[in-house]
Amino acid sequence: MLAAFAATPWPDIARALGLLGVSFCIMAAYDLPGVAFARRAGACGRLALRHVGLASFCAYALSHMLGATALTAAAIRLRFYAHWEMPPAALARIVAVSASNFSLGVLSLLGGLLLWDPHAVPLPGHLAGLLARLLGLALLALPVAYVVGSRGREAVTIFGKRIALPGGRIALAQIILSCVDIACACAILDMVLPAAPGLSYARVLSLYVGAFVAGSASGLPGGVGVFDSVLLLGFSAFLPAADALGAILLFRVLYFLAPASLAGLCYALHELWVYVAGRRAKHRS
């Protein structure tokens, strides 16, 4: 496994690092639809882009590394936005929209894959062909219904509860941002994988989405064990186990460890700055 890790060509690593830079930008923009929704509802005023980027990047990178993504991401966002005096109603909208981004992206990508290339998704034999495309239509119908339902409506009432809607443009921005995020992350993995006959990007994408969903659902830090096992099982028909594990390890270093380390440093520096500023204000008073 270590030999396969070390044997990854440097040009592939360089391209993966370039894609990682793009992923960093997407992580920093992940909260923008939620902030736009909160501002559209009049729940918050203007917030500097650097503040949104900091909170978004730290919440995204740290939550995926720490596990229990929904809880940890919400807690990190609460810490940042509360410091910037974000009203509770606006914070609730930001957390809700940001938390739904990934699900919308998964539904859109899997639905599109099943319609475009159903054989790229590892499904049981009886689901191949027409049934796979019908499943793709069903999956794709959910995000489409979300976008269409959000157009021209302030809210919907479900089981007696009024749920605010972000609007068609923000809903579409959520889906596009999440799809680009997932596709870019998968491209990093695809870049560090050894070439293998039949292992197309579409197949890698379907395996990556399944592994990431399973890892997130497990609640374990970084989906450790679950994420890796699903990928290893999927790649077993194309690559030796050592080669696949070497690529997965390198991907973990690039996409999980590097962003989480940077986000942890940013979070610590922000907390230090808040503490020092608070001490100075207290001293002046």
Side-chain angles (χ1 to χ4, degrees), residues 1-2 4-5 193 228-229 232 235 239-251:
M1 183 182 72
L2 292 175
F5 180 95
L193 279 170
D228 314 85
S229 298
L232 186 60
F235 293 149
L239 292 168
D243 292 350
L245 280 172
I248 293 168
L249 176 61
L250 181 54
F251 173 76

Side-chain angles (χ1 to χ4, degrees), residues 93-142:
R93 284 175 167 82
I94 294 171
V95 170
V97 169
S98 299
S100 63
N101 286 352
F102 182 73
S103 299
L104 291 168
V106 167
L107 291 171
S108 302
L109 284 175
L110 280 182
L113 275 174
L114 286 169
L115 285 175
W116 175 52
D117 187 6
H119 299 289
V121 182
L123 294 173
H126 63 280
L127 288 178
L130 180 61
L131 286 178
R133 287 189 166 86
L134 290 176
L135 178 60
L137 278 174
L139 292 177
L140 206 55
L142 295 175

Side-chain angles (χ1 to χ4, degrees), residues 9 38 78 152 178 186 189 214 221 227 249 273 279:
L78 175 63
S178 180
C186 178
L189 175 61
F227 175 82
L249 176 61
W273 180 84
R279 293 282 293 181

Side-chain angles (χ1 to χ4, degrees), residues 189 193 203-212 225-237 244 247-248 251-252:
L189 175 61
L193 279 170
R203 187 171 289 276
V204 175
L205 179 60
S206 66
L207 292 172
Y208 171 79
V209 170
F212 205 98
V226 179
F227 175 82
D228 314 85
S229 298
V230 173
L231 282 180
L232 186 60
L233 182 63
F235 293 149
S236 61
I248 293 168
F251 173 76
R252 274 199 170 278

